[in-house]
């Protein structure tokens, strides 16, 4: 029942802009049991913040993250598939050791228990999503194509999976594999966005949260793609 939101722009975006939409996504969705975000610094390095509270109840985030600006962000709003897994280490996004990749998942990997023991020495938490994250890293280490690796992660672990790979100095990758929570790309002015849809089988996402969105496109189910800035819909300077 999680929600995902990621953005890319040619200009810096204040983190307060991200807070605004993250809070709305949490309010209208089912999340509120942990959240996190990642952003890229000027040198491309990825930084991360996570909390066990929902974003609306997180009193530290506005103070701790005040003044941050970035051209790219990734937000994960958590509602665990297994409520007993509420813990700081299960909050997303996950971040690799050299801070070059952040990974976020919405859904439930049905086969996570079958692969958990394989990654026992690497797992920091208990969620199914972290098993998927470790499987994705393994595929990348095998020199698999990054988008194909997202597809394989879902195919092997099964269940439902919307996935985002947020990469240093590279375009963000999206994968749609959760029919209960469709994923869309769209523009808010000059900002290119992707978001899950509040687990609602209509267009309420764009009525309640993003009413000014343009160039709205649903990512076809079981398909991976890149989040790129669409030059044809940019506002005139």
């Amino acid at each position: 029942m999680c929600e995902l939101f990621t953005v890319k722009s040619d200009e810096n975006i204040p983190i307060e802009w991200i807070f605004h939409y993250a809070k709305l996504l949490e309010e209208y969705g089912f999340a509120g049991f942990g959240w996190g975000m990642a952003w890229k610094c000027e040198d491309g390095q990825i930084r991360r913040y996570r909390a066990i509270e929902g974003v609306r109840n997180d009193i530290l985030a506005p103070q701790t993250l005040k003044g941050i600006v970035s051209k790219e962000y990734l937000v994960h709003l958590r509602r665990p598939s297994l409520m007993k897994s509420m813990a700081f280490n299960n909050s997303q996004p996950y971040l690799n050791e050299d801070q070059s990749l952040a990974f976020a998942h919405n859904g439930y990997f049905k086969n996570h228990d079958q692969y958990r023991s394989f990654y026992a020495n690497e797992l920091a938490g208990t969620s199914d999503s972290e098993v998927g994250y470790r499987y994705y890293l393994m595929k990348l280490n095998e020199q698999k194509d990054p988008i194909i690796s997202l597809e394989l992660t879902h195919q092997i672990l099964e269940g439902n999976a919307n996935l985002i790979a947020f990469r240093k100095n590279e375009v963000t990758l999206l994968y749609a594999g959760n029919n209960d929570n469709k994923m869309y790309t769209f523009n808010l002015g000059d900002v290119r966005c992707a978001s899950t849809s509040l687990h609602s089988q209509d267009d309420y996402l764009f009525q309640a949260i993003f009413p000014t969105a343009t160039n709205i496109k649903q990512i076809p189910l079981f398909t991976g793609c890149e989040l790129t800035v669409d030059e044809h819909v940019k506002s005139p300077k």
Side-chain angles (χ1 to χ4, degrees), residues 86-111:
M86 285 189 293
F88 178 79
N89 283 336
N90 290 332
S91 294
Q92 300 182 46
Y94 302 108
L95 183 64
N96 66 350
E97 290 186 4
D98 66 3
Q99 299 180 324
S100 63
L101 172 71
F103 178 95
H105 167 231
N106 151 239
Y108 180 70
F109 286 125
K110 186 172 67 174
N111 297 335

Side-chain angles (χ1 to χ4, degrees), residues 32-170:
F33 300 88
W35 84 286
M37 73 158 61
W39 64 94
K40 295 182 184 179
C41 301
E42 287 188 8
D43 62 359
Q45 201 73 16
I46 297 173
R47 297 289 182 264
R48 176 184 62 170
Y49 175 91
R50 295 186 295 171
I52 194 170
E53 304 91 355
V55 62
R56 290 175 297 164
N57 292 327
D58 187 352
I59 62 174
L60 292 179
Q63 304 170 38
T64 304
L65 305 177
K66 183 178 180 181
I68 290 174
V69 295
S70 178
K71 296 177 181 178
E72 298 184 62
Y73 293 89
L74 165 63
V75 175
H76 181 276
L77 304 166
R78 190 165 192 251
R79 196 287 185 185
S81 299
L82 303 173
M83 294 300 288
K84 290 193 295 184
S85 70
M86 285 189 293
F88 178 79
N89 283 336
N90 290 332
S91 294
Q92 300 182 46
Y94 302 108
L95 183 64
N96 66 350
E97 290 186 4
D98 66 3
Q99 299 180 324
S100 63
L101 172 71
F103 178 95
H105 167 231
N106 151 239
Y108 180 70
F109 286 125
K110 186 172 67 174
N111 297 335
H112 70 98
D113 276 340
Q114 299 177 29
Y115 288 83
R116 183 169 299 279
S117 61
F118 188 78
Y119 305 110
N121 294 329
E122 301 167 272
L123 296 174
T126 59
S127 74
D128 61 285
S129 298
E130 191 178 5
V131 175
Y133 162 61
R134 288 296 170 183
Y135 186 90
Y136 181 66
L137 290 182
M138 182 179 73
K139 292 292 114 179
L140 293 181
N141 289 335
E142 293 173 359
Q143 305 301 312
K144 298 286 188 183
D145 175 85
I147 290 182
I148 291 175
S149 295
L150 289 176
E151 296 170 352
L152 287 172
T153 300
H154 187 203
Q155 290 171 15
I156 297 302
L157 295 177
E158 297 186 340
N160 295 322
N162 290 322
L163 304 171
I164 298 181
F166 189 74
R167 307 181 298 163
K168 176 182 178 181
N169 297 328
E170 295 188 76

